[in-house]
Amino acid sequence: TAQSKYHRSLAIQQELGGIQGVGLSSVNLRLLAHKSGDFERALAFGQDAERIASDLGDRDSQAFAMLCIGHAYGGRQEWDKAERAYQRSLALRQELGQANQALEPHAGLIDVSLSAGWGDDRSDDVHAILETLDGNNLLGIVDPVRIYWVCYRSLRASQDPRASEILERAYQLLRQRAELIAGGLQRHRSVDNWPARRMITKEYLHRGGRS
């Protein structure tokens, strides 16, 4: 249903000549493709959105598109390309003074390091992210659950005692967001369908948490 609506939105924006709307629709389709595990389409939509944002001089949308491209390259395990995309997104967010939005590409860089097995010490980066999240100010963050999951993985890898606390916070945030979706089956699917959310639930229950 989401895919059908987004494609319809994209077609309408193209008919109207709404270039910025075309870029936004492409980003939404990219997010959907990424969550569905279709990284080829996710990358294509992300690159379309980045090109449009760049042509318009829309650095906010460009930063978001580069984040999406980083996710797509990460899904394809092309770590060097993912790192460059996240770095570009982070640089744009910092130039725009968007501290909250900068957390997602910042977490993306940590995720790349962990997933690629580069062994970089990212503890300072993780603690910097958590200091910002401690205020529970999630304004402008698209997927805060993913940020928590990356931070948890990093803390767990370094045997940091805060790991269990961060996992608890991630799981409770996940449940709070799921409760906003009406209907038990739909709520269950919303929790289980996205990779980071599925892994948080699995890890939380494995470590003795209660659903």
Side-chain angles (χ1 to χ4, degrees):
T1 301
Q3 182 171 281
S4 174
K5 298 296 184 183
Y6 284 144
H7 274 298
R8 179 57 182 152
S9 173
L10 178 61
I12 291 172
Q13 292 293 345
Q14 288 171 333
E15 290 173 9
L16 295 174
I19 302 300
Q20 192 166 19
V22 169
L24 180 59
S25 295
S26 294
V27 167
N28 287 332
L29 282 164
R30 190 231 64 85
L31 285 170
L32 184 61
H34 176 73
K35 299 304 181 183
S36 302
D38 189 346
F39 303 121
E40 295 294 331
R41 292 182 68 234
L43 180 60
F45 282 127
Q47 289 172 332
D48 283 347
E50 194 280 331
R51 175 183 52 78
I52 292 169
S54 180
D55 289 345
L56 291 172
D58 183 352
R59 292 192 296 164
D60 181 80
S61 295
Q62 188 178 9
F64 186 38
M66 291 307 301
L67 173 71
C68 294
I69 290 171
H71 290 342
Y73 277 129
R76 287 159 47 125
Q77 299 185 8
E78 296 182 48
W79 307 122
D80 289 336
K81 292 179 180 179
E83 182 182 42
R84 287 195 293 272
Y86 286 136
Q87 286 175 337
R88 180 56 179 153
S89 177
L90 178 60
L92 285 165
R93 293 303 188 192
Q94 290 172 334
E95 289 171 12
L96 293 168
Q98 297 174 333
N100 271 20
Q101 290 93 326
L103 295 180
E104 292 191 88
H106 202 167
L109 289 169
I110 298 171
D111 188 32
V112 166
S113 182
L114 287 167
S115 300
W118 289 344
D120 298 341
D121 183 2
R122 293 281 189 172
S123 56
D124 289 343
D125 293 326
V126 171
H127 288 293
I129 289 174
L130 292 176
E131 283 180 9
T132 302
L133 289 177
D134 274 344
N136 293 318
N137 181 9
L138 305 179
L139 183 65
I141 300 176
V142 175
D143 193 356
V145 173
R146 181 189 178 99
I147 297 175
Y148 274 116
W149 174 241
V150 170
C151 289
Y152 166 72
R153 287 176 58 214
S154 181
L155 293 173
R156 182 187 61 187
S158 62
Q159 298 184 331
D160 189 302
R162 284 196 70 184
S164 59
E165 173 195 342
I166 297 308
L167 179 62
E168 176 72 27
R169 287 169 60 181
Y171 185 77
Q172 294 308 322
L173 176 61
L174 174 60
R175 300 304 301 178
Q176 289 169 14
R177 296 206 156 197
E179 288 298 327
L180 296 176
I181 301 176
L185 179 59
Q186 187 176 7
R187 181 184 305 117
H188 176 75
R189 286 174 175 170
S190 77
V191 171
D192 290 344
N193 279 353
W194 290 16
R197 301 181 179 201
R198 185 169 58 247
M199 292 305 296
I200 287 170
T201 301
K202 181 179 178 180
E203 184 77 2
Y204 182 79
L205 297 178
H206 174 73
R207 291 184 173 271
R210 287 184 290 181
S211 178

